[in-house]
Every structure is written in structure tokens, then in C-alpha cells.
Amino acid sequence: MIQDTIAEIKNPALSIQDLCVYYDQNKAVKNVSVDIKKNTVTAIMGPSGCGKSTLLRALNRMHELYDNIRTEGKVLIHDQNIYDVPAIKLRRQMGMVFQRPNPFPTMSIYENVIAGYKLNGIRLKKGEKDEVVERSLRDVALWDEVKDTLHKKGTFLSGGQQQRLCIARALAFGPEIILMDEPTSALDPIATSKVEDLLVKLKENYTIILVTHNMTQAARISDYSLFMYLGELVEYGKTKNMFTNPIDPRTEQYLTGKFG
Amino acid sequence: MNTTENIRLQDTSKGRQLKDKLILGLVILLSLITISPIVLIIGKLVAKGYRQISLEFLIKNTPDTYTAMTALANGERIPGGIANGIVGTLIMVVLASAIAIPVGIIVGIFLYENPGKRLANFTRSLSDVLQGVPSIVLGLISYLWVVKHVTNGYSALAGAVSLAIMMLPMIVRSTEETLKMIPNTLKEAALALGTPYHKVILRVLIPTGFSGMFTGILLGISRVLGETAPLMLTALGSSMINLDISKPTSAVPLLIWEFYNDPNMIDLIWSSSLMLMAIVLILNLISKQIAKKTK
Amino acid sequence: MNSDKITKLVLSLGSFILIIVAAGMVYSLVVGSIPAFKTFGFQFIFSNNWDPTSGKENYGALPFIAGTLISSILALLISLPLSFSTSLFLGEYFKGTRVARILSTLVDLLAGIPSIVYGLWGFYVLRPLMIELGIGSQGFGVFTASVILAIMIIPYATSLSNEIISMVPNDLKEAAYSLGATRLEVIQTVTIPNAHSGIIAGYILSFGRALGETMAVTMLIGNSNKVPDSLFGTGNSMASVIANQFGEADGLKLSALIAIGLLLFVITALVNALGKLIIKKMQ
């Protein structure tokens, strides 16, 4: 069912091959194969329960934290299967941003940004730390708002600021790919549009995979879209094409609001 | 990008993963050490105590030292049992429950009905303080109150009072916690029907929260069953079955203490401890099971 | 008066009973200890001479205060690595698994064993072990008592820490994992910092438990009325001296024992209040 218009993605950032995820006996993601293009925003859409978050979380092996979830198939980055490297090493290449902003409440804004280094046992000099913090916060357009309160707790910020802080935390470690699990679903419209602008800017340097239940968001900011239904990949292609001319009837039904 | 680029390539994963595994191993090892005493204690009591347990052990009074010594010298089983202790424990626990359960439930309902009020907060804090008072101090109190002024001598009543003060805060707490979990709409529905307040309590609140409150009561009982220290200061002990609550009375834990102090009675220590522990643990498990089911 | 008012009256009556009991306790302890404090003044707390010989009677509570504090602190230190590991086992590593349920039931059972049974086990099993290791005279002493105390307080510290640790929000832990943290690093940087005040409160409350334990300590500490000269030396605790010497006590000695009871009451109440305060602040 993959749309022919995206002939071949050469040198993909990520190549998902025949990926399946099981919750106990329940197959939640069914044999998904997709190549993700570098420096794009790729949106994963679909009605709730279709497996979109499950697919995303398989990419940085989050499922391994839970005993009842099992993953099969391959995911290649630079031709190497992610399941062949230690999970903690893989996760350094992949930043993740969650549905609800979750800055570490016991850490200051500053510490939150460099948490990745601390957690990975990498000691930075004071100057290096300052540099990383400033650059990451500038990347998410938060620097001017928080530069005077860097040593306050991150939880004092507004929801939108917290979410940008979480993005900065994910960026600070220099990942190649950023996984975003409905990052704006807990934010108000103004904060949402700030985050969306940010994503468009960030794709210059990163590859972004975005799970969203918001079709207009996908239409606004994504280059490629992937529509899932009941665990299956229904349709994958350039966002523009999919929204104007969906191939699969289920995609059309979803986009016209028949279900979801 | 240069600094991070270099740092990013540092591979720290091997050492960190090893450390992670080592600590996990340590946690498992220390957790096993933590539970080893329970296994060792139960094992020891069963191994040493099961032989003495018989019908006679349950229905006969404790022997005197001389009888025990003779039996010991002849290599026989020590005759007699701990009936005086069992009866005494029953009397005191029933008496303590009769005092603590109604008061505890009333206070618990009071706390539930007056959330945020000063008197309620004060009462709750006092109840918390009472819960932390060492049992030996409760023994002292009951000595000062009951032994000295009510029964004019050591008595089952004095023992029961010290146990009752011990149970009280546990029942207060479990009652309040249980009632808090009952949806408010249930109470409002009853009140909306014009039901008088006391009937709402008796017909709606208490029946709905019964299993939770019952759990608290069982836990309270299982805690006081094994108490020795306060009884040493209040009930004292007796070698015969005594049904008069104003007279010195024995209890199973008191008997264990006596056996411990009398080298001739050593064989009886283990069987009485085994019995006491079995009852306490079974009560404990039952109440925890009920608690789990209602949650 | 209508029935609703009567009901309300009955309910508040219950709380008055509780207040009277608590106030009466303090009153009786204070009145009972007046003779001791009148005779010895503050020396009662700081003197280490406990001599019931009639004629030159002198009562100082220092040996017992010291014995209680030292044995309880030592017990806390011994129980710490054990109960902390167990709460990580239950609340983090094996949270929600069958093996955690079994372990947690066993730990709960520890709380159900009567104090006197712990004492017996300590006397007949632990003490010979101590003799073999050359600790204490006859295996009695502060250290032996502390080991038993440590086992006794494990379930209290464990259950509270476990509860708090399992409440640490999952999304925070996932955030740390997504940054490449190992489980241990998640525990160090997310779980413990987020749960630390509850864990500390749990240890304070279990310390309060240790302070008041009577029977097991009496049977193992050695019951010598002096400040213990080392961690392995013998001593006595406040609760044990009351239990041991109460039978033959009257007059000044009885008052001295009641005064020790009052001190024990005050110390445990303060310790518990501190623990409860920390928990309250957390919520």
C-alpha cells in the first residue's frame, strides 16, 4: 500500500523493516516497513489505539523496560540494526520528547539540560557545560526567557516552556533523530504553535519523527506522513499528496473525520 | 558542535552496564538476606516446638518447676500445657477489643465527618502520637490507672486496658482511611432520602466500609496478641486458669517469658512460641488478604 | 434535641475520650515522676549511677538513655542497606511481579512476629553465633540487641520506602532512560531524589519503633546498668530497665522508673512527630 510517489528514499536516517510489537499475545504493531528520510519531519497519524506511539517507542527500545512487551523485526541506522547495540548507547542517538512535559523536578533548568551528560557518566568542564546549556536553550528559543533563572527548578516554568526545556534536554546530547510522542497534546494553542515553529526549524539539523493525533498539525509541519490503523501501516507518502489525494479508502475516511 | 561531537563519541556504556548489573546483583542478594530471618525463625520454632503440641498442651495448666524438673530428669515429655495462658490471652484480648473497637470506630467516623476542622486535626495528631508510644509505657500507664486505683492489684482488666490503648489508634486510622474511600455520593444519596444521620452511619457507612475496618481490627488484635511487656506490668501472670478480671491472669506471651526464665521449662518455650506466632501470622495474613481484596 | 444532634454529640464524645486518654497519660507520667525529679533534679538525666541499695539510693537514667539511643542507631544502620535494597527490589526492579509479591508478604510477616519470639530466637540462635565470633561477653551486648532490633524494624522502613519509591512518576524515569541512562542511573538521578524525603521519614519512623522495643532487647542487651563501654559491650535500655526492675519497685525507685517511662515517651513522640511532619510536607 505504500504510495509509489515516494519512490526510494536514498540513504535513509532510519530504516524500519518488518517491525512487530506484541503486548503479551496481542500484536499491536503489525509488520511495519518504512524508510525515514533525513532532515524531515515525518508524522505518524492514526486514531487512538492504532499503535502509533507503540511504533515510536520501539525505535529507541523503550519497550524493553516492560516485561510484557516484545518486539520483532529490524530497525537500521547507518546500516546497523539498533537491536544489535546496547540500548543505552542507542538511546544517545535518539532524543525523545513525551506527551506531557516531564522536566526532572529535583533538578534546575541548567541541570535538566545537561542531564544526558550526567546520566551517561560524562564529565564536562564548567565552560563546556555553559556552552551546551546556552546552545541547546537557544535552539529551542528558550534562552532569552530563562537565562536569568537557570538555577531555578524547571517545574516553575509554564507548560509550553517546560516542553521546550524537555526538547532542549533531548537536543543537548546531539542526537541524530528526535522522537516526539504527541508533544503538544498537553499544551495550549500558543505554546503549541511555538513548538511547531521550533520543529520546522530543527529539521535542518535533525530528523524528526512525530506522533500526532492532530491531522492539521501533521498537515502544517510534516514533510512525510504515515497513516496507521489497527496496528498496520496503511499508507505512507509525502504529506501534501496524502492529504490531497489519499490512496487507501481508510486514509480518506480518517482524513475526512469518519473515524478517530 | 565540536565539543559535543567529540563527547558524543565517547563510549561509556560497557563500564556503566557492568556497574548496573553488579548493583542489581547486590540488591537481590541483600533482599534475600532481608527475608532470611523469617525463614530461619519459623524453621527453628517448627523444628523445636511441634513435638510438645498436643491436645493436652492446649487444655492443661502449666506444670510447676518441680514436676517439669522430674520429667526432664527422667527424659520424659513435660506434662501440662498452657491453657491458663490461652484463656487469659482470650479474656484480655476480648476485653481490650470491647473497649477499643467502639471508641476507635466512633473516633474514626468523627475524623471522617469533620475533615479540616481543628478538633479533628488535633485528635488525629494525638492518635498518631498514641500509635508511637512504646508498649511498655502503656503498661506503666495502665499500672498507674487500673492496678493502683481500680482493681487494687494486678489484673486482667489492667492488662486489657494497656492493650486497648495500643489498639485504639490502629482502629481509628483504618476506620478513617476506609471511610475516605467510600464515594461521597453514596452518603449523599442516603441523606437525600431523608435518612437520619445515625442511620446513615449504621446502615450505609459502616456496612460499606466493613471489610476495611475489619482488616484494621484484625491487624490490631494480631499486634496485641503477642505483646509481653505491658502485661508484665499489669496482668502479672497466674499458674491457674482465672476468669475473674480483677485478679492476676496469665497470657501466652507471659508464659513464654516465665518458661524462658526457668531452665526446667525450656521444652515448653518453643511450642508456646510456635503457637503464638502461628496465630499472629495467620491473623496477619487473613487481614492483609481482606485488605487486598477490597482495594 | 433531635437525633442528628445526638449523633454528632456521640461522635465528638469519642474524640474527647481519646484526648482525655492522651492527656491523662502525660499527667500520670509527670505526676509519677515528680519524686524522682525532685530528689535528683536534672542529675537524673545526666547521672550514670543507678544504685537501689536502700539508704544510699541513687538513680540516674543516663545508662539507659545511652543504651536505648546507641542500640537503636546501630539497629538503624544495620537495617539500612537491607531494607533499602528490599524497597528497591519491590518498588523498582521487580515492581508488580509475582516474586515481588512473595517477597513483600515475607517482609510483612517479619512485622507480625512477636517481640518475645525475636528475643528467644536471638537468645538461642544469634547469641551462640556471637559467642563464636567472639563478640560481647556470653554473646550478650548492645551489638547483639541491635542486630535483632534491625531485623524487627526492617518491615517498617521497607514498606514506607517501597510505597514512596513506587509512586515516582513513570514518565520521569522514561525521560531518563530516553537519554541513555542505565537502570542504576535512573535510580540515582530520578528515583532516589524524588523519593528521598519519604525514604528518610520511613527510617525516622522505624527508628522510633526501635527506641521503644522491650522484650527482644531485654533478652539480649546484657542488662548491666552502665553506659555501654563499646558497641560490643553490655548495657541496658530504657524500656528494658522498666520491664526488669518494675516487679520489685516502690517508692523512689518506682518513681525513677516512671520518670524513665516519661523520658521514653517524650523521645519517641518527638521522633515520630518529626517523621510524620516530613510525610505531611511531602503531600
Side-chain angles (χ1 to χ4, degrees), chain C residues 1-269:
Chain C
M1 205 151 60
N2 66 31
S3 80
D4 280 9
K5 275 198 178 152
I6 296 176
T7 313
K8 281 195 174 155
L9 197 72
V10 170
L11 290 185
S12 18
L13 205 68
S15 106
F16 281 119
I17 293 180
L18 203 136
I19 293 173
I20 289 168
V21 167
M25 279 172 64
V26 176
Y27 173 81
S28 299
L29 288 174
V30 169
V31 169
S33 49
I34 283 176
F37 278 111
K38 260 197 179 155
T39 316
F40 306 111
F42 275 109
Q43 270 309 107
F44 179 72
I45 299 175
F46 300 112
S47 158
N48 57 13
N49 181 18
W50 181 273
D51 186 1
T53 320
S54 65
K56 48 174 189 167
E57 261 182 317
N58 187 63
Y59 298 110
L62 190 66
F64 314 110
I65 298 173
T68 292
L69 291 179
I70 296 171
S71 59
S72 300
I73 291 171
L74 191 57
L76 192 63
L77 293 179
I78 298 171
S79 78
L80 214 123
L82 296 172
S83 55
F84 189 61
S85 300
T86 310
S87 51
L88 282 180
F89 188 107
L90 298 175
E92 173 70 45
Y93 282 107
F94 296 91
K95 183 179 176 180
T97 62
R98 178 198 287 266
V99 59
R101 275 196 293 280
I102 295 171
L103 191 81
S104 127
T105 306
L106 287 174
V107 174
D108 280 350
L109 285 184
L110 276 179
I113 296 181
S115 178
I116 192 161
V117 174
Y118 275 111
L120 284 176
W121 187 74
F123 185 85
Y124 286 105
V125 177
L126 199 59
R127 200 178 55 91
L129 194 72
M130 294 293 168
I131 294 175
E132 214 136 287
L133 295 171
I135 289 171
S137 70
Q138 299 287 309
F140 290 113
V142 173
F143 184 74
T144 316
S146 298
V147 172
I148 279 289
L149 269 179
I151 300 173
M152 295 176 76
I153 63 175
I154 278 173
Y156 299 100
T158 305
S159 76
L160 195 61
S161 315
N162 163 27
E163 208 174 291
I164 304 285
I165 285 174
S166 27
M167 269 169 17
V168 173
N170 209 28
D171 60 340
L172 291 181
K173 292 191 214 162
E174 286 192 346
Y177 280 117
S178 79
L179 293 168
T182 61
R183 190 148 207 175
L184 173 64
E185 288 155 353
V186 171
I187 291 170
Q188 286 173 325
T189 51
V190 177
T191 310
I192 295 176
N194 277 286
H196 76 274
S197 49
I199 296 172
I200 292 172
Y203 283 106
I204 292 175
L205 291 177
S206 56
F207 178 65
R209 288 243 156 222
L211 291 172
E213 264 310 321
T214 315
M215 299 316 295
V217 177
T218 301
M219 292 158 86
L220 295 170
I221 200 166
N223 297 324
S224 59
N225 302 335
K226 58 181 175 60
V227 176
D229 30 54
S230 81
L231 291 184
F232 302 113
T234 58
N236 209 341
S237 79
M238 299 167 86
S240 331
V241 74
I242 299 173
N244 278 318
Q245 311 222 345
F246 192 79
E248 59 229 59
D250 53 11
L252 196 55
K253 188 177 179 188
L254 181 61
S255 174
L257 291 175
I258 294 172
I260 291 177
L262 176 66
L263 290 176
L264 182 59
F265 174 85
V266 171
I267 296 172
T268 47

Side-chain angles (χ1 to χ4, degrees), chain B residues 16-226:
Chain B
R16 289 162 56 220
Q17 279 175 315
L18 185 68
K19 201 170 152 198
D20 189 53
K21 290 267 148 46
L22 282 177
I23 296 290
L24 173 60
L26 189 68
V27 163
I28 293 175
L29 179 73
L30 290 174
S31 302
L32 290 178
I33 294 177
T34 303
I35 52 160
S36 58
I38 184 82
V39 180
L40 294 176
I41 291 172
I42 293 179
K44 180 89 180 171
L45 291 190
V46 171
K48 287 221 149 193
Y50 81 96
R51 251 175 292 137
Q52 281 279 344
I53 291 191
S54 61
L55 187 62
E56 188 192 348
F57 183 72
L58 299 179
I59 57 168
K60 287 243 168 111
N61 286 343
T62 44
D64 56 52
T65 310
Y66 183 74
T67 321
M69 195 174 70
T70 329
L72 215 58
N74 298 334
E76 292 161 5
R77 217 176 117 262
I78 299 177
I82 54 169
N84 44 338
I86 295 176
V87 172
T89 290
L90 273 178
I91 290 176
M92 285 189 273
V93 169
V94 168
L95 216 53
S97 305
I99 302 169
I101 293 173
V103 178
I105 289 181
I106 287 175
V107 176
I109 296 174
F110 175 78
L111 296 182
Y112 161 77
E113 289 288 344
N114 299 283
K117 293 235 178 91
R118 268 166 97 188
L119 180 62
N121 286 340
F122 181 64
T123 310
R124 191 180 298 109
S125 310
L126 274 188
S127 172
D128 282 350
V129 171
L130 277 186
Q131 180 142 35
V133 177
S135 63
I136 185 93
V137 175
L138 298 180
L140 267 181
I141 295 295
S142 182
Y143 172 84
L144 293 173
W145 291 353
V146 184
V147 174
K148 276 196 144 173
H149 297 292
V150 181
T151 52
N152 295 316
Y154 295 104
S155 66
L157 182 65
V161 167
S162 65
L163 299 184
I165 306 177
M166 202 169 159
M167 285 172 76
L168 186 60
M170 302 180 75
I171 296 172
V172 170
R173 169 134 294 202
S174 70
T175 304
E176 193 195 0
E177 299 286 317
T178 311
L179 292 180
K180 267 195 204 156
M181 288 196 299
I182 298 176
N184 226 354
T185 46
L186 208 63
K187 196 176 98 186
E188 282 165 3
L191 284 171
L193 292 170
T195 322
Y197 198 39
H198 71 272
K199 281 207 174 144
V200 175
I201 292 172
L202 292 176
R203 298 276 159 78
V204 179
L205 292 184
I206 293 182
T208 320
F210 180 76
S211 62
M213 286 147 81
F214 189 61
T215 304
I217 291 169
L218 280 189
L219 270 181
I221 290 177
S222 80
R223 262 209 65 201
V224 302
L225 262 181

